[in-house]
Amino acid sequence: MTAVSAPPIEQWQDVVPYLLAVDQGWHNLATGMPLELPAMSEAVREAFRAAVADPSFTRRVTRYHGVHGDADLREQLASRYAERFSLPLSGANVLITPGAQAAFHYVSELMADRGRKVVLFGPEYPGYLTHRDVAYDMVPSEVVREGDDEFRYVPPRGALSSDVGAVVVSRPSNPAGNVISDEALAELARECAEVGALLVVDNAYAPVVPGLAFRELGMPWADNVVLVQSFSKAALAGERLGFVLAPEPLIELFGGFQAQVATFPPQLVQLAVLILLRDDRFLDLCHRELRESYRQRHQLIREVLDERMRVPFWLHASDGGQFRWLHLPELRTSTSELFHELKDRGVLIAPSAPFYLPHLHGEPHARRSVRIGVTATHAEIEHGLGILAEVVNAGR
């Protein structure tokens, strides 16, 4: 492996400039850009046309509105999730947010007020770290082998102390695509309750919207559980629309934080989404065509690596979402350094270190893993992974 003079990519802010790089001639496998599906984009276009033509258009865009979001949309979402997961939901359990990311800031704001820390299980999405006055801690997940060259991350039991105020997990996860089992999630919710902590579950890829998990999922529900959902992966990334499902007292708390920073979420996109959810056509597109497109790309990554790699590698079990996680147990350098060599060859990947807090950067999975985005074209995936395999094979 050739030495590089550029500093290793170890912090999330080092990766962010490359996530949107689509026109510089790179094969971008680092990107988190959602997959575009023409049929879904057209459905969204039609919904916005209908929203503009709706009799409520003038009232919606010329007046101020309630902080919790459109009442009809809240009831529609509560109904959808109550039916799918047999949950006791009403509109009072729903907060519409200007993007799901806002919800994680509200959680951190609550922890800052309570003087309690937030725990993550590495690797995990670093975008949850939003507040300078909150202590964030990370515990490495347990690594469970599945077969000869697959594995799964499992949250360790007994990792929570009395100063923990919230545990945040993504499901399917960013970066690994991991789905924590229903049983393990229920146990984690109980552990959180024992220390008076919230369990905050990021369901950006989970059912009902957009439904990009490849296995059936249950949904936890308890006084200490917060479910964060997003429309970003369902053809609406540019509109920043998310929502929270939680017990009513927590919805009121988060609504108070939202009132301080956003006053209320945008109106037109809420009406467009309400129109999309009035029948099952949009959700059918998510669950059939969009999910199948992701599944094909997950499988393509497996096929290319099986064909091209000449060194040992492990893939995280394919549970869904828009990433696959590759671990290279015999890599001589770190993937933070490998990043530069691949970039010089025209390939962008996301190294593993930014998905761990600094005190864990020496861990094997923090040094020798790669997040692979699956939303590039088939040709870009094949070519980019071919170069990755060539570089890794040569440096064994």
Side-chain angles (χ1 to χ4, degrees), residues 55-105:
S56 68
F57 173 81
T58 299
R59 171 178 57 81
R60 288 174 178 275
V61 301
T62 63
R63 299 182 183 180
Y64 294 120
H65 297 269
V67 67
H68 292 89
D70 181 81
D72 291 337
L73 179 57
R74 294 169 70 201
E75 290 294 343
Q76 175 67 251
L77 290 168
S79 175
R80 288 284 183 177
Y81 280 79
E83 179 181 5
R84 170 65 176 77
F85 296 107
S86 300
L87 297 179
L89 298 176
S90 72
N93 299 115
V94 182
L95 173 70
I96 310 297
T97 61
Q101 184 69 27
F104 301 110
H105 183 71

Side-chain angles (χ1 to χ4, degrees), residues 57-334:
F57 173 81
T58 299
R59 171 178 57 81
R60 288 174 178 275
V61 301
T62 63
R63 299 182 183 180
Y64 294 120
H65 297 269
V67 67
H68 292 89
D70 181 81
D72 291 337
L73 179 57
R74 294 169 70 201
E75 290 294 343
Q76 175 67 251
L77 290 168
S79 175
R80 288 284 183 177
Y81 280 79
E83 179 181 5
R84 170 65 176 77
F85 296 107
S86 300
L87 297 179
L89 298 176
S90 72
N93 299 115
V94 182
L95 173 70
I96 310 297
T97 61
Q101 184 69 27
F104 301 110
H105 183 71
Y106 304 157
V107 170
S108 289
E109 190 73 38
L110 182 60
M111 295 305 104
D113 285 354
R114 293 179 175 179
R116 304 185 74 180
K117 70 180 181 181
V118 175
V119 167
L120 314 172
F121 299 116
E124 189 54 276
Y125 177 54
Y128 302 139
L129 283 61
T130 68
H131 204 294
R132 68 179 63 186
D133 295 327
V134 173
Y136 297 96
D137 195 8
M138 179 174 281
V139 179
S141 297
E142 295 178 357
V143 180
V144 178
R145 295 291 298 271
E146 294 191 353
D148 294 334
D149 58 5
E150 287 198 352
F151 70 97
R152 184 178 300 282
Y153 290 127
V154 177
R157 292 189 175 187
L160 306 183
S161 55
S162 60
D163 58 347
V164 174
V167 172
V168 181
V169 296
S170 50
R171 185 183 190 243
S173 86
N174 175 2
N178 181 45
V179 167
I180 302 170
S181 71
D182 289 351
E183 296 76 16
L185 201 63
E187 176 61 28
L188 185 56
R190 287 191 290 270
E191 286 192 36
C192 287
E194 289 173 1
V195 298
L198 301 179
L199 173 60
V200 184
V201 185
D202 180 355
N203 291 313
Y205 309 106
V208 173
V209 180
L212 302 182
F214 301 154
R215 51 191 283 202
E216 285 298 312
L217 303 184
M219 198 75 82
W221 187 255
D223 289 343
N224 67 322
V225 172
V226 177
L227 307 174
V228 182
Q229 319 290 143
S230 175
F231 285 96
S232 290
K233 311 308 181 287
L236 283 160
E239 292 302 300
R240 306 306 302 149
L241 189 71
F243 58 102
V244 176
L245 303 173
E248 190 171 350
L250 290 171
I251 292 295
E252 291 302 316
L253 282 172
F254 296 147
F257 294 131
Q258 180 153 287
Q260 296 173 25
V261 296
T263 308
F264 57 87
Q267 286 294 305
L268 190 59
V269 66
Q270 291 187 75
L271 178 55
V273 167
L274 179 61
I275 292 168
L276 287 169
L277 294 178
R278 281 176 177 162
D279 58 43
D280 293 332
R281 289 176 296 173
F282 184 72
L283 293 179
D284 284 345
L285 284 172
C286 289
H287 300 165
R288 291 184 292 101
E289 295 188 34
L290 187 62
R291 179 163 53 196
E292 183 57 28
S293 294
Y294 276 94
R295 191 192 304 273
Q296 290 173 4
R297 284 166 164 80
H298 275 253
Q299 183 60 33
L300 176 63
I301 289 170
R302 157 59 74 183
E303 292 170 356
V304 173
L305 291 174
D306 281 344
E307 178 183 348
R308 304 290 183 84
M309 294 289 279
R310 301 291 179 264
V311 298
F313 70 92
W314 303 350
L315 277 172
H316 192 285
S318 182
D319 287 343
Q322 67 182 59
F323 305 106
R324 289 217 73 170
W325 186 256
L326 170 67
H327 180 62
L328 301 165
E330 296 185 7
L331 189 70
R332 290 182 178 178
T333 185
S334 71

Side-chain angles (χ1 to χ4, degrees), residues 10-30:
E10 294 189 336
Q11 303 300 324
W12 183 239
Q13 57 266 31
D14 300 329
V15 178
V16 169
Y18 299 101
L19 298 181
L20 302 180
V22 294
D23 299 319
Q24 288 87 347
W26 285 315
H27 299 285
N28 193 342
L29 306 184

